[in-house]
Amino acid sequence: MKPRRRLRLGGILVATVAVLVAGTATSTAAAQDTSPPSPGVDEIVHSPNMRQLTNLPKEGPFASESAFNTDIAFTKNHAIVGNYDGFTIYDVRKPHKPRVVSQVLCPGGQNDVSVSGDLLFLSTDYARTNDTCTSEASVASDPNSWEGIKVFDISNLAKPEYVAAVRTDCGSHTHTMVPDKKRKSVYLYVSSYSPAANLPNCQPPHDKISIVEVPTKHPERAAVVAEPVLFPDGGNPGGPNPDGTNRSATTGCHDLTAYPEKNLLAGACMGDGVLFDLSDKLNPRVIDRVQDNVNFAFWHSATFNNDGTKVVYTDELGGGGMATCNEKFGPNRGANGIYDVEGRGDKRSLEFASYYKLPRHQSENENCVAHNGSLIPVKGRDIMVQAWYQGGVSVWDFTNSERPKEIGYWERGPLSDTELITGGSWSAYYYNGYIYSSDIQKGFDVLAINDPRTASAKSVRYDEFNVQTQPSYGRR
């Protein structure tokens, strides 16, 4: 989701740029909205194969409507949920009875999280007066304001300790943790965007990412070690769409997803979808780049399939604050774009296959658009669980890239029947047999799916899981 503070809606050669044109973008959601009418306020509806196990409401300093829950990382059967005002650590060893282990008040939205061993990393993308957790809101036009990466020691999950901070240009909207091969350091690929001439720490053209190295035994030495330029040509210039919305210009990346085992990185970069070679961790090299100037407004996030032969890119039309799951925007706007990775080596290319969008219309009082999800580790199939804000949680199969289909869902009705209040599932991820959802307003949900198509995933276990650092779950 885009911050409210400002509109954030070494040379690298781009191998190819593929532009989708009308007539080539096929929809797979022609049968959209075949379900019963939308549920009422706070009413829960779901497919027969999905159910809610429990919900823990937001609490303490995060209980207010303005304290949005955000992304999730997992370690040692604990879920760490970011919040615009800090983060909460939940013990999920008993998924039916999760409990709060600790909360850290540290304002600085979005506070997206990742974890590596005993270290937790937090993204700050709102200007603050300094890098402490007691800082106050500032303005990005102040050269002394601070945004960037914070590092915590979580060796004691009940008492996280703040140990380091690194300023990065334009802040850190999201970040992706990539381990060093020798395991002596981790690299954080920082995504940030929307520079402006009046922002001294976020100057145009900002066609780069920041790479922060964190030595695992000396996290206090964390520092920016590289700033590779990804778009020497400036990227997508952006422009208006026929329905009055705007297509984002590329001024950085919103999110990066690494697949370290395959030395691949997928970039969702505002106006561009990018596939990178990650052999050189400090110099990700563009293999291919695609644009969709017909239906995509904002390339938001990316997910590889387990074989690394497909990438699902999401379009966060409206920045997560609009009602776009309706007849007005249709089946191809605010959707996922599924791309097959064809060819080998430097000749690999991203080839559009289809769109997938939530197949149920939502009310005009529900912000709804494609958002964060993860693979469900089913060998031999490509199945994903995904958050759609107030559209709820959808489980869908894209084994056939051209014919994706939903196989399960769970959702709440709107927060209000008279106004649109921002809410819903920000992230929905599968971890050790269950689906965990971070709801912006309602808190922490634990869901179960009972379906023969996903049953084998229950045997896959991870001690540590960062969705933007994809692990392999075995060969097909």
Side-chain angles (χ1 to χ4, degrees):
M1 186 154 183
K2 299 177 186 177
R4 295 163 288 178
R5 184 247 305 148
R6 60 177 176 244
L7 180 61
R8 287 209 165 194
L9 289 173
I12 299 175
L13 297 178
V14 176
T16 59
V17 178
V19 180
L20 294 178
V21 296
T24 64
T26 58
S27 170
T28 59
Q32 189 177 26
D33 199 27
T34 59
S35 60
S38 297
V41 172
D42 285 344
E43 180 186 356
I44 291 175
V45 295
H46 56 90
S47 56
N49 60 353
M50 288 185 67
R51 61 190 176 95
Q52 180 189 49
L53 298 182
T54 192
N55 166 264
L56 289 182
K58 295 191 298 183
E59 62 180 65
F62 307 152
S64 71
E65 184 179 302
S66 62
F68 290 4
N69 270 352
T70 60
D71 211 4
I72 315 173
F74 300 90
T75 183
K76 302 172 185 175
N77 282 305
H78 288 69
I80 304 171
V81 178
N83 182 284
Y84 272 51
D85 286 339
F87 62 90
T88 301
I89 300 179
Y90 296 91
D91 183 338
V92 296
R93 286 176 291 184
K94 296 180 180 179
H96 293 77
K97 295 181 179 180
R99 65 180 183 88
V100 174
V101 174
S102 59
Q103 282 189 310
V104 173
L105 180 63
C106 194
Q110 298 181 154
N111 280 336
D112 278 10
V113 293
S114 70
V115 63
S116 178
D118 289 334
L119 298 178
L120 169 71
F121 311 109
L122 199 67
S123 279
T124 298
D125 198 36
Y126 276 22
R128 309 295 299 179
T129 51
N130 56 55
D131 64 4
T132 70
C133 285
T134 57
S135 67
E136 297 179 353
S138 183
V139 290
S141 57
D142 181 350
N144 296 314
S145 66
W146 186 90
E147 299 172 273
I149 290 286
K150 296 181 176 115
V151 184
F152 291 80
D153 182 327
I154 56 168
S155 52
N156 183 347
L157 291 167
K159 293 183 179 181
E161 180 183 355
Y162 185 16
V163 295
V166 180
R167 182 201 292 271
T168 55
D169 288 351
C170 297
S172 175
H173 190 66
T174 65
H175 70 271
T176 301
M177 190 280 296
V178 179
D180 174 51
K181 288 183 178 179
K182 296 181 180 180
R183 299 286 176 173
K184 293 183 178 181
S185 296
V186 295
Y187 297 110
L188 307 179
Y189 290 65
V190 175
S191 296
S192 55
Y193 53 94
S194 288
N198 69 326
L199 303 179
N201 300 315
C202 187
Q203 289 288 294
H206 193 68
D207 48 10
K208 64 182 181 181
I209 61 172
S210 299
I211 301 179
V212 174
E213 182 177 11
V214 184
T216 54
K217 292 186 178 180
H218 295 283
E220 71 280 2
R221 299 176 187 172
V224 174
V225 292
E227 295 178 315
V229 173
L230 307 182
F231 303 100
D233 64 348
N236 194 327
N241 290 314
D243 61 7
T245 60
N246 287 318
R247 184 175 66 256
S248 294
T250 298
T251 58
C253 291
H254 178 277
D255 213 338
L256 300 165
T257 295
Y259 198 159
E261 182 179 303
K262 296 185 180 296
N263 282 324
L264 288 174
L265 182 75
C269 300
M270 304 181 71
D272 294 86
V274 192
L275 181 68
F276 300 90
D277 180 284
L278 201 56
S279 301
D280 184 343
K281 297 294 186 292
L282 298 183
N283 290 287
R285 182 170 53 83
V286 175
I287 300 172
D288 196 19
R289 192 174 106 206
V290 292
Q291 298 175 351
D292 179 346
N293 293 332
V294 176
N295 289 308
F296 262 45
F298 188 88
W299 295 69
H300 173 274
S301 51
T303 303
F304 288 101
N305 70 337
N306 190 52
D307 285 346
T309 57
K310 301 175 187 177
V311 185
V312 176
Y313 290 101
T314 66
D315 172 22
E316 194 187 37
L317 172 67
M322 287 175 53
T324 72
C325 299
N326 51 35
E327 185 176 1
K328 173 184 176 181
F329 289 100
N332 298 339
R333 306 292 316 282
N336 297 307
I338 303 167
Y339 286 77
D340 291 325
V341 179
E342 298 188 354
R344 304 183 70 176
D346 286 351
K347 297 187 179 297
R348 282 173 287 189
S349 62
L350 294 164
E351 302 296 334
F352 176 79
S354 65
Y355 295 112
Y356 172 79
K357 189 172 181 180
L358 197 69
R360 288 171 302 287
H361 286 165
Q362 304 296 308
S363 76
E364 295 304 306
N365 293 320
E366 293 176 287
N367 57 304
C368 178
V369 74
H371 212 235
N372 294 341
S374 75
L375 291 182
I376 295 181
V378 179
K379 294 180 181 179
R381 301 196 68 82
D382 300 322
I383 298 178
M384 184 171 174
V385 58
Q386 187 172 16
W388 291 79
Y389 291 113
Q390 289 194 72
V393 176
S394 176
V395 176
W396 58 286
D397 187 322
F398 62 104
T399 306
N400 183 337
S401 302
E402 297 181 355
R403 295 185 179 277
K405 60 182 179 181
E406 184 175 76
I407 63 175
Y409 71 91
W410 181 92
E411 67 165 302
R412 286 186 176 92
L415 292 165
S416 168
D417 56 9
T418 60
E419 61 177 326
L420 194 161
I421 300 171
T422 300
S425 179
W426 179 292
S427 298
Y429 299 148
Y430 189 92
Y431 175 70
N432 291 355
Y434 297 89
I435 294 169
Y436 297 91
S437 171
S438 169
D439 189 288
I440 293 170
Q441 302 295 355
K442 294 294 186 179
F444 186 60
D445 289 307
V446 184
L447 309 176
I449 181 167
N450 184 16
D451 190 288
R453 291 165 290 190
T454 62
S456 65
K458 294 181 179 180
S459 65
V460 179
R461 290 288 185 270
Y462 296 112
D463 182 46
E464 181 178 291
F465 184 51
N466 299 289
V467 170
Q468 291 80 17
T469 311
Q470 282 193 220
S472 171
Y473 49 82
R475 304 295 183 187
R476 291 187 176 183

